[in-house]
Amino acid sequence: MPTMLDVAKRAGVAPSTVSYAINGTRPISEETRQRIFAVMDELGYRPHALARGLASKRSRIIALHFPVSERGLGITELEFITSAADAATENGYNLVVWPSELHDQNKLRQLTQQGLVDGMIVMEVCLKDERIDLLREIDFPFSMIGRCADAEDIGYVDIDFAKTLQDTINYLAELGHKHIAFLNQSQEIFDSGYGPAVRAQAGFEQAVRQTGLEGVTCFCHATPRAGHEVFNDLLGRCPNLTAIVAMNDRAIPGIMQAVADRGWRIPKDLSLVAIISSAHIAEMMMPPLTTADAPTTELGRLGAELLIRQLEEQEKSVAHVLLPCHFVSRGSSGPCYRNA
Amino acid sequence: MPTMLDVAKRAGVAPSTVSYAINGTRPISEETRQRIFAVMDELGYRPHALARGLASKRSRIIALHFPVSERGLGITELEFITSAADAATENGYNLVVWPSELHDQNKLRQLTQQGLVDGMIVMEVCLKDERIDLLREIDFPFSMIGRCADAEDIGYVDIDFAKTLQDTINYLAELGHKHIAFLNQSQEIFDSGYGPAVRAQAGFEQAVRQTGLEGVTCFCHATPRAGHEVFNDLLGRCPNLTAIVAMNDRAIPGIMQAVADRGWRIPKDLSLVAIISSAHIAEMMMPPLTTADAPTTELGRLGAELLIRQLEEQEKSVAHVLLPCHFVSRGSSGPCYRNA
DNA sequence: CTGTTAGCGCTTTCAG
DNA sequence: CTGAAAGCGCTAACAG
């Protein structure tokens, strides 16, 4: 492997000149620039990433902190990773994934202090999140996919839950539904302050109030079995129910089963809308689900770009981006016929 | 951030001694060792990863090459990433994900030559794979999740397709099925030599022959619509069909729809087994699918461990591991009643 | 516009 | 069992 010195010698210039030519950190005469680049690919030279990082104090590596949660891994998460990695690559960065328990502060501290990564993208953020506290405390650059409670001074991208729920409820209201349930994630997740669970809940309540509908909420573990049980509860509590908004993909098959068990049909007897979901999930179901798809690739990409921008700019600019879900009407929702 | 020099001074030893204490590269008296470690965490010292990498010529970073394919991203792939990253972390390595087009040799070359990563895990391997050719040529350490055609000299972990298909066919044969279809991935994917498509196909043919059953194959794009069309074709070609083995999760909803359209029920009129699938997918369906689950976490973990072992050992040991799928019988398969 | 040089923080001979 | 010192390959003052 040739080094920069080899290139410099061969091109008859100082090593630093090669460095400046590569980084564009300083004007170089077109002539020598050409010569240097010619030599570079004559020798097949590649800058050594570690050496560069050590000298410049910037590794051009960013980390994606990837907590493994109760909810388990979904397609959504995968798309965060790949789109964030893509964006990183396009900007000359590498992306390391750092999967770990949510609460392992030590591991986190280690990663941030070994000089390997310039910054970090944090996902699966809770309103009150230990990781955020730590990162703030040690003043380590990061961005969030999601957002914690007091996030004014931090860059983030998140889903616009208020709008998503408002849109969804409006849609159902226009179809004539008056009694709508919201199927949230589990009580434990909600209580832990997991952003989406809390914000979607608030959005639902707000939207329902504003639209003058009756709304009931239930929490549900991420399994078909739990969905099945919860549906029957729900009907007990609200016999006039004609529509369900579910933010819990894994419970949905159970809901659908329970609906079928009762001799009902979707969407005739019940409309079902999955939010923060994905087309792939939706199309696996029968009928295919009406969904508000999470803008996963945008979230991942922006999460990375926000961080990188912050890393490259002198004054720390904090951007806050809220993205709407993409609403797609498929077969699981329709006009309300019951108690019309 | 304190450096090693700070530690050395404070402990009253030479910097090199601190280094040896950390790496255990050379015997240190228990006494000074203690002293050094005491100072280390008194100062909150962390070794600097880049400096260490530059000096030792080993970054302790490995890459996971992650081609984005037609098949799109599934839960399976995610589990590769997280389990490989976990295994890496446990062994003191970091895992960078490198998503890119399958055929971009230049990018690959760049990644391997910038000194950032010590080795690479390659996934989604085809029988004849350009990436493998390149890596072999430049003699870059790597392991495969999957395997190419002539892989004797390379470490890999892969699914044991022959066994998986044999088991699946045996299972169906015992239930009395005599006419079985195999739903492969698309013709294009098969023709490209994508390992699973080719090996599962071969396994199916072999198993069917050996068991004396009638087997038909069809290729199918990864969409419900394609599954729907293909099912009808299939019945045209083989009217006695009573069982389908599908290695194409995304087509399955279409199959099930087509079955329902015909007024048939699963599993009474048709048994359906999904192979190289996952419990999560299986439980989203109605009825839940009988599957041969891909051993994803094992594959990811072993892929990383194989590579790391190879990196750490002096003589390059190449291990070849073939893992069976985990067969789980759920509601989509049962005894054959038709033309019994 | 270009060259010289002192590090970045650690590993690893070589010497004791 | 421990020290001294020479780099790893690059960047970034500083000096022209």
Side-chain angles (χ1 to χ4, degrees):
Chain A
M1 255 358 28
T3 83
M4 197 160 179
L5 199 70
D6 299 327
V7 176
K9 279 187 193 146
R10 198 118 212 290
V13 297
S16 60
T17 304
V18 178
S19 171
Y20 292 123
I22 291 171
N23 301 303
T25 324
R26 173 165 110 168
I28 300 277
S29 80
E30 188 50 26
E31 188 192 330
T32 60
R33 221 188 64 87
Q34 298 264 331
R35 189 150 31 92
I36 288 172
F37 276 89
V39 173
M40 268 174 31
D41 61 45
E42 178 193 344
L43 300 185
Y45 168 77
R46 313 266 178 195
H48 187 108
L50 297 184
R52 191 214 284 248
L54 179 59
S56 67
K57 305 190 164 311
R58 306 196 36 220
S59 66
R60 301 199 142 254
I61 300 175
I62 59 179
L64 179 64
H65 182 69
F66 195 93
V68 294
S69 61
E70 183 215 308
R71 258 154 295 120
L73 281 18
I75 293 184
T76 307
E77 284 79 7
L78 214 210
E79 290 183 345
F80 285 166
I81 300 188
T82 56
S83 62
D86 267 337
T89 303
E90 284 166 24
N91 287 280
Y93 281 73
N94 286 97
L95 197 265
V96 323
V97 307
W98 187 265
S100 76
E101 302 297 316
L102 197 42
H103 303 295
D104 197 334
Q105 298 281 38
N106 264 339
K107 289 256 178 76
L108 224 195
R109 184 166 246 132
Q110 188 183 324
L111 176 62
T112 57
Q113 299 190 149
Q114 61 181 355
L116 215 214
V117 306
D118 292 340
M120 173 141 97
I121 307 167
V122 180
M123 29 185 290
E124 304 285 7
V125 180
C126 291
L127 295 193
K128 169 96 190 62
D129 197 303
E130 293 184 313
R131 299 170 298 167
I132 309 293
D133 298 340
L134 174 61
L135 293 169
R136 267 178 159 144
E137 181 193 323
I138 63 179
D139 199 33
F140 190 81
F142 70 102
S143 71
M144 300 182 278
I145 297 178
R147 62 199 201 270
C148 56
D150 181 26
E152 283 320 300
D153 57 328
I154 313 171
Y156 63 75
V157 228
D158 200 358
I159 292 171
D160 189 338
F161 291 97
K163 177 166 177 8
T164 300
L165 271 293
Q166 188 59 264
D167 290 351
T168 305
I169 298 301
N170 286 349
Y171 167 84
L172 290 170
E174 275 167 26
L175 288 172
H177 296 276
K178 306 222 179 318
H179 306 274
I180 303 179
F182 178 53
L183 188 81
N184 203 325
Q185 301 190 0
S186 73
Q187 181 79 55
E188 291 81 357
I189 289 178
F190 180 85
D191 289 342
S192 77
Y194 179 57
V198 174
R199 295 205 171 82
Q201 182 65 45
F204 173 73
E205 286 167 12
Q206 160 94 17
V208 150
R209 194 177 325 120
Q210 206 160 298
T211 327
L213 305 182
E214 184 195 351
V216 297
T217 290
C218 61
F219 298 97
C220 182
H221 283 278
T223 66
R225 169 179 299 278
H228 194 279
E229 288 166 10
V230 151
F231 178 73
N232 293 319
D233 275 14
L234 219 39
L235 270 195
R237 285 163 56 197
C238 178
N240 296 322
L241 196 69
T242 63
I244 296 182
V245 176
M247 185 175 69
N248 192 328
D249 286 348
R250 296 206 179 160
I252 287 180
I255 302 270
M256 297 177 86
Q257 177 67 54
V259 171
D261 288 351
R262 201 166 279 258
W264 286 6
R265 306 272 295 173
I266 292 176
K268 190 166 66 65
D269 303 296
L270 185 90
S271 281
L272 180 57
V273 179
I275 66 168
I276 327 297
S277 182
S278 79
H280 281 132
I281 298 285
E283 281 161 5
M284 297 236 95
M285 302 298 191
M286 263 267 300
L289 265 33
T290 294
T291 56
D293 293 339
T296 50
T297 59
E298 293 85 343
L299 288 168
R301 164 167 296 278
L302 277 169
E305 289 176 349
L306 250 50
L307 175 59
I308 291 174
R309 197 176 312 156
Q310 193 174 315
L311 255 23
E312 313 234 298
E313 287 178 2
Q314 49 291 35
E315 354 101 58
K316 64 183 286 187
S317 65
V318 291
H320 298 162
V321 184
L322 248 33
L323 260 30
C325 285
H326 185 55
F327 198 87
V328 184
S329 176
R330 297 193 185 79
S332 70
S333 58
C336 175
Y337 292 126
R338 279 201 299 130
N339 46 276
Chain B
M1 272 315 68
T3 82
M4 197 156 171
L5 199 68
D6 299 326
V7 176
K9 279 187 194 144
R10 198 117 213 290
V13 296
S16 59
T17 304
V18 178
S19 172
Y20 291 122
I22 290 171
N23 301 301
T25 325
R26 168 167 112 171
I28 300 277
S29 80
E30 189 49 28
E31 188 194 328
T32 61
R33 220 188 65 87
Q34 298 264 335
R35 187 149 32 92
I36 289 172
F37 275 90
V39 172
M40 269 173 31
D41 61 46
E42 179 193 345
L43 300 184
Y45 168 78
R46 313 267 178 194
H48 187 109
L50 296 184
R52 193 214 285 249
L54 179 60
S56 66
K57 305 189 164 314
R58 307 198 35 223
S59 67
R60 300 199 142 253
I61 299 175
I62 59 180
L64 179 64
H65 182 68
F66 195 90
V68 294
S69 61
E70 182 215 311
R71 258 154 296 121
L73 280 19
I75 292 184
T76 307
E77 284 78 8
L78 214 211
E79 291 184 345
F80 285 166
I81 300 188
T82 55
S83 61
D86 267 337
T89 302
E90 284 167 24
N91 287 279
Y93 281 73
N94 286 97
L95 199 262
V96 324
V97 305
W98 187 263
S100 77
E101 302 296 315
L102 197 41
H103 303 295
D104 196 335
Q105 298 281 37
N106 264 340
K107 290 254 180 77
L108 223 195
R109 183 166 247 130
Q110 189 183 324
L111 176 62
T112 57
Q113 300 190 342
Q114 60 180 351
L116 215 216
V117 306
D118 292 341
M120 173 140 94
I121 306 166
V122 180
M123 29 185 290
E124 305 284 6
V125 181
C126 290
L127 294 193
K128 170 96 189 62
D129 198 302
E130 291 184 314
R131 299 170 295 167
I132 309 294
D133 297 341
L134 174 60
L135 292 170
R136 266 177 159 143
E137 182 194 323
I138 64 179
D139 200 32
F140 189 81
F142 70 102
S143 71
M144 301 182 279
I145 296 179
R147 62 200 202 269
C148 57
D150 182 25
E152 283 319 300
D153 57 329
I154 313 172
Y156 64 76
V157 227
D158 200 357
I159 292 171
D160 189 337
F161 291 98
K163 177 167 179 3
T164 300
L165 270 294
Q166 188 60 261
D167 290 351
T168 305
I169 298 301
N170 286 348
Y171 167 83
L172 291 170
E174 275 166 26
L175 288 171
H177 296 277
K178 305 219 179 320
H179 307 273
I180 303 178
F182 179 52
L183 187 82
N184 204 326
Q185 302 191 0
S186 73
Q187 182 79 55
E188 291 82 356
I189 289 178
F190 181 84
D191 289 344
S192 76
Y194 179 58
V198 173
R199 295 205 172 83
Q201 183 64 47
F204 174 72
E205 286 167 12
Q206 160 95 19
V208 150
R209 195 178 323 120
Q210 206 160 298
T211 327
L213 305 181
E214 184 195 351
V216 297
T217 291
C218 60
F219 297 98
C220 182
H221 284 278
T223 67
R225 171 178 296 278
H228 194 278
E229 288 166 9
V230 151
F231 178 73
N232 292 320
D233 275 15
L234 218 39
L235 270 196
R237 286 163 56 197
C238 179
N240 296 322
L241 196 68
T242 63
I244 296 182
V245 176
M247 187 176 67
N248 192 329
D249 286 347
R250 296 206 179 160
I252 286 179
I255 302 268
M256 295 177 87
Q257 177 66 56
V259 170
D261 288 351
R262 201 167 279 257
W264 286 6
R265 306 272 296 173
I266 291 176
K268 190 166 67 64
D269 303 297
L270 185 89
S271 281
L272 179 57
V273 179
I275 65 168
I276 327 298
S277 182
S278 79
H280 282 132
I281 299 285
E283 281 161 5
M284 297 236 98
M285 303 298 190
M286 262 266 302
L289 265 32
T290 294
T291 56
D293 294 338
T296 49
T297 57
E298 293 85 342
L299 288 168
R301 165 167 293 277
L302 278 169
E305 289 176 346
L306 251 48
L307 175 59
I308 292 173
R309 199 176 311 157
Q310 194 173 316
L311 254 25
E312 313 235 297
E313 288 180 0
Q314 46 295 34
E315 355 101 54
K316 64 182 284 188
S317 65
V318 291
H320 298 161
V321 183
L322 249 35
L323 260 30
C325 286
H326 185 54
F327 197 88
V328 184
S329 177
R330 298 192 185 80
S332 70
S333 58
C336 173
Y337 292 127
R338 282 199 301 127
N339 46 273

